[in-house]
Amino acid sequence: MMYAALLVMLMVGWRLAIRKQGRIELRDQPLVSIIIPARNEERTISFLLHDLSLQSYQHLEVIVVDDHSQDGTVEKVEHEMKRDKRITLLSNVDHGKKSALALAIKSAKGSIIITTDADCRVNEPWVESLIPYFENAETKLVFGGVKISANALFENVQALEFASLIGSGAATAALGFPTMCNGANLAFRKDVFFEVEGYAGNIDVPSGDDEFLMRKIKEKYLDGIVFAGQRNAVVSTAPCKTFTEFMHQRIRWAGKWKHNTSMLSVALAIFIFSFQASIIVLASLFFLKRIDPFTAVILLSAKALLECIFLFKISNFFSLRWSWLSFLSLQLLYPFYVLTIGLLANVLSFSWKGRMLKTHTVSEKG
């Protein structure tokens, strides 16, 4: 019953997050600094920089921070710099994404900072869709949707699972208690970043540049977090190509929960972990004939129905192709996935962009 209530609450929150809003006319056009930390992104970064050069919102600068790339990333950026003089390139002095972001934010000229990832793609009105939210002086941080572009089954399962995370973050923010966001589509006021001391206190944690900052701002500004509920504000990214890459990515993401200071977010994570564990127990009891089959089927069907409604609404917003095979695959695999990632994130190192890292610190210095 508690899980059903949570899903209904998320559905209400999602509806609030994407409710139709009138067009906000900008009274002025603040300078926007788009920051892209990049490590070994020679295959993708040119596409993103080209997208940014075509933005309908022109009053911007683009700062790429090379985080000790070992491929042709720098050469690709330098080539794009010749095409668009608004692009600049910095070299990360320290190591890791947060230090790269902090370096760029310090040198940024814009009053509004937008961060994204080097392997993302954005549409022409992306910046124009984010900036109007800052017309409200109470708004300090805006996060938009991120979707995975998928074709094959493994990619579709990733896209659906990722959409559930983004949708849940948007829903909880709309209800007044933001739990998660994504640095691939994040905008915030530069002065507020320094006011809350940026990444101080978590600079060595490999992930969480987005959520830790969001929570710091939320603590100081109760109504300062907003989800950009427009399709034009959505960023797309590529799926993991291999299962190993996928596991390393999710372990990196999950590792930040140990450092979470939000009791609500921690409680929610523990509840989800416990509920998924109970699903495995319920299924086991069903196959061992230790529980009434009718009761088990009713409970599992109710869970699947509510999740289907929630995920279908989110998939529609992100223009994701709905796949029943992907949904059913996720139903079967997700409980085992949650338990595996939740446990491994506390003990294993992971590989990211050619670095071996621990979930608790940026340990590699090369």
Side-chain angles (χ1 to χ4, degrees):
M1 289 299 293
M2 290 180 62
Y3 186 68
L6 173 63
L7 285 174
V8 171
M9 182 183 70
L10 290 177
M11 290 180 203
V12 172
W14 175 251
R15 186 177 180 84
L16 291 173
I18 63 169
R19 64 188 184 278
K20 293 187 181 298
Q21 304 170 30
R23 180 178 174 83
I24 305 173
E25 296 294 338
L26 288 172
R27 291 190 294 270
D28 55 19
Q29 292 201 344
L31 177 63
V32 174
S33 297
I34 302 174
I35 296 176
I36 309 163
R39 176 174 168 83
N40 298 340
E41 298 286 2
E42 67 174 358
R43 292 181 301 172
T44 59
I45 195 164
S46 294
F47 296 110
L48 173 61
L49 293 178
H50 179 69
D51 290 347
L52 294 176
S53 70
L54 298 176
Q55 288 297 296
S56 54
Y57 190 95
Q58 291 288 303
H59 196 203
L60 55 83
E61 64 172 353
V62 179
I63 305 175
V64 181
V65 188
D66 176 56
D67 188 17
H68 308 277
S69 293
Q70 299 168 322
D71 63 359
T73 297
V74 170
E75 289 75 12
K76 292 289 186 180
V77 176
E78 289 175 341
H79 177 73
E80 295 300 324
M81 289 170 63
K82 296 175 183 177
R83 297 173 179 267
D84 193 333
K85 301 302 181 184
R86 296 174 299 175
I87 302 173
T88 58
L89 175 65
L90 301 178
S91 295
N92 194 11
V93 177
D94 209 331
H95 297 76
K97 184 178 181 181
K98 288 177 187 168
S99 63
L101 287 168
L103 175 67
I105 293 170
K106 186 176 181 179
S107 66
K109 300 181 179 67
S111 59
I112 304 296
I113 305 293
I114 299 180
T115 67
T116 189
D117 293 338
D119 59 353
C120 288
R121 299 297 303 270
V122 300
N123 56 36
E124 187 177 311
W126 175 54
V127 174
E128 188 178 20
S129 300
L130 293 174
I131 297 307
Y133 289 92
F134 291 99
E135 286 289 291
N136 184 343
E138 293 185 358
T139 300
K140 310 300 179 183
L141 181 147
V142 177
F143 67 100
V146 183
K147 73 172 184 178
I148 290 179
S149 301
N151 292 303
L153 175 61
F154 178 49
E155 297 175 351
N156 284 327
V157 172
Q158 289 182 62
L160 195 57
E161 185 263 345
F162 189 62
S164 73
L165 296 178
I166 299 297
S168 297
T172 54
L175 292 171
F177 52 96
T179 54
M180 63 186 84
C181 59
N182 195 292
N185 197 357
L186 195 68
F188 50 87
R189 298 184 189 274
K190 180 181 177 181
D191 58 351
V192 172
F193 176 85
F194 290 109
E195 184 181 348
V196 299
E197 300 182 339
Y199 306 123
N202 56 76
I203 191 72
D204 289 329
V205 181
S207 63
D209 54 279
D210 37 28
E211 293 179 21
F212 290 135
L213 178 62
M214 179 189 72
R215 292 190 183 100
K216 279 188 171 185
I217 294 175
K218 173 65 176 176
E219 288 176 3
K220 192 171 184 66
Y221 298 99
L222 295 179
D223 300 316
I225 312 299
V226 176
F227 174 72
Q230 302 178 48
R231 286 186 171 91
N232 283 337
V234 173
V235 164
S236 62
T237 188
C240 296
K241 296 303 182 183
T242 66
F243 181 72
T244 299
E245 181 186 353
F246 172 79
M247 291 296 289
H248 279 276
Q249 182 190 67
R250 294 310 199 262
I251 289 172
R252 175 169 62 92
W253 290 355
K256 63 193 170 192
W257 287 102
K258 184 178 179 67
H259 307 272
N260 206 321
T261 57
S262 169
M263 295 306 297
L264 179 61
S265 296
V266 171
L268 182 60
I270 292 174
F271 174 72
I272 296 298
F273 183 90
S274 301
F275 178 79
Q276 297 302 331
S278 71
I279 292 299
I280 296 177
V281 172
L282 178 63
S284 300
L285 292 175
F286 172 76
F287 285 110
L288 292 173
K289 299 180 180 180
R290 299 292 182 85
I291 188 174
D292 175 44
F294 180 76
T295 301
V297 169
I298 290 296
L299 292 174
L300 292 174
S301 298
K303 166 187 172 295
L305 177 61
L306 289 173
E307 289 179 348
C308 178
I309 295 172
F310 181 51
L311 290 175
F312 188 83
K313 291 178 180 295
I314 298 170
S315 296
N316 181 61
F317 174 80
F318 286 121
S319 300
L320 296 174
R321 181 173 60 86
W322 181 260
S323 166
W324 284 107
L325 182 57
S326 299
F327 174 74
L328 294 175
S329 298
L330 199 58
Q331 286 291 305
L332 293 172
L333 298 174
Y334 195 69
F336 299 97
Y337 157 77
V338 169
L339 266 63
T340 301
I341 295 297
L343 295 174
L344 293 182
N346 290 293
V347 295
L348 289 187
S349 298
F350 58 88
S351 174
W352 183 74
K353 304 297 182 183
R355 285 178 172 145
M356 283 304 298
L357 304 171
K358 297 179 180 180
T359 55
H360 310 309
T361 181
V362 181
S363 59
E364 191 272 337
K365 296 298 182 183

